[in-house]
Amino acid sequence: MTPSTNHADALDHVSRETLHGLELYCEELLRWNSKINLVARSTESGVWDRHVVDSMQVYDLMPTKAVRWVDLGAGAGLPGLIVAILAKELDPDLEVVLVESDKRKSAFLAHVVRLLNLSATICSNRIDMLSPQAADVISARALAPLPKLLEFSHRHAGSDCVCLFHKGANVQSEIDLAKADWQFTHKEYKSKTDPSGVILRIEGLTRAAAR
């Protein structure tokens, strides 16, 4: 299973071995999805473009010196497992932490990590119960509105942490709400797979001064 012609450029920096890992991930995702709800069944036919390529695009926004990537609410490993598959060849020192409280989804994550021999750790715990992670990068996809994501991220961010969040058409309203309690700089990158979506890159996260 490979990306459509529209997204073939996603493979420009990917070796045959890494492509094979991504294909194996797709196969296992579809196999497990028949038993547990990892992704919507309606998206199975477009799993590469809808999920894999969508997750690959955050990898290119990673800071060059990052060594610890924490994916919150990892679910099916999107984007965290995809990042780990890419990093195996391109950034072998990068450690990926997949935070997922659902035991069945955690079992899927652990299975893929073993199958592909990835440098990734699964934390089967609630985000708010997890010890601070000192992350260089924090990612989340379809997890929560931005104010809640920033609350989670503030606890687990290291110094100079960058947050990378998939967001939709209502991103500006989420930013406006978040600014009531948080100070940060941000940049929006147009999604390559969703015409109304963006990747929101956030830096310098601090709590806003009390009014």
Side-chain angles (χ1 to χ4, degrees), residues 99-153:
V99 183
E100 177 52 59
S101 61
D102 185 294
K103 302 303 181 185
R104 296 177 304 167
K105 293 178 180 178
S106 291
F108 168 74
L109 298 173
H111 167 71
V112 176
V113 167
R114 288 193 300 270
L115 179 67
L116 300 181
N117 191 28
L118 302 176
S119 178
T121 302
I122 294 90
C123 292
S124 301
N125 207 340
R126 287 171 52 93
I127 297 169
D128 55 354
M129 299 296 291
L130 193 65
S131 60
Q133 293 295 300
D136 299 309
V137 182
I138 294 176
S139 61
R141 183 177 185 257
L143 177 62
L146 185 59
K148 189 64 174 179
L149 287 178
L150 297 183
E151 187 71 43
F152 288 148
S153 299

Side-chain angles (χ1 to χ4, degrees), residues 63-77:
T64 55
K65 295 182 180 180
V67 295
R68 187 172 179 83
W69 184 308
V70 176
D71 188 35
L72 301 178

Side-chain angles (χ1 to χ4, degrees), residues 132-192:
Q133 293 295 300
D136 299 309
V137 182
I138 294 176
S139 61
R141 183 177 185 257
L143 177 62
L146 185 59
K148 189 64 174 179
L149 287 178
L150 297 183
E151 187 71 43
F152 288 148
S153 299
H154 187 255
R155 173 180 175 81
H156 296 297
S159 60
D160 301 320
C161 180
V162 170
C163 299
L164 299 172
F165 302 136
H166 286 78
K167 284 296 171 185
N170 64 339
V171 61
Q172 189 56 54
S173 63
E174 291 193 37
I175 291 171
D176 293 341
L177 285 172
K179 289 284 189 178
D181 297 309
W182 301 97
Q183 292 180 337
F184 54 88
T185 59
H186 72 279
K187 188 170 183 179
E188 298 173 27
Y189 295 84
K190 185 174 176 58
S191 173
K192 298 176 183 178

Side-chain angles (χ1 to χ4, degrees), residues 83-108:
V83 168
I85 293 170
L86 295 172
K88 182 177 181 180
E89 175 187 4
L90 300 174
D91 291 282
D93 292 332
L94 181 68
E95 179 187 6
V96 178
V97 179
L98 306 166
V99 183
E100 177 52 59
S101 61
D102 185 294
K103 302 303 181 185
R104 296 177 304 167
K105 293 178 180 178
S106 291
F108 168 74

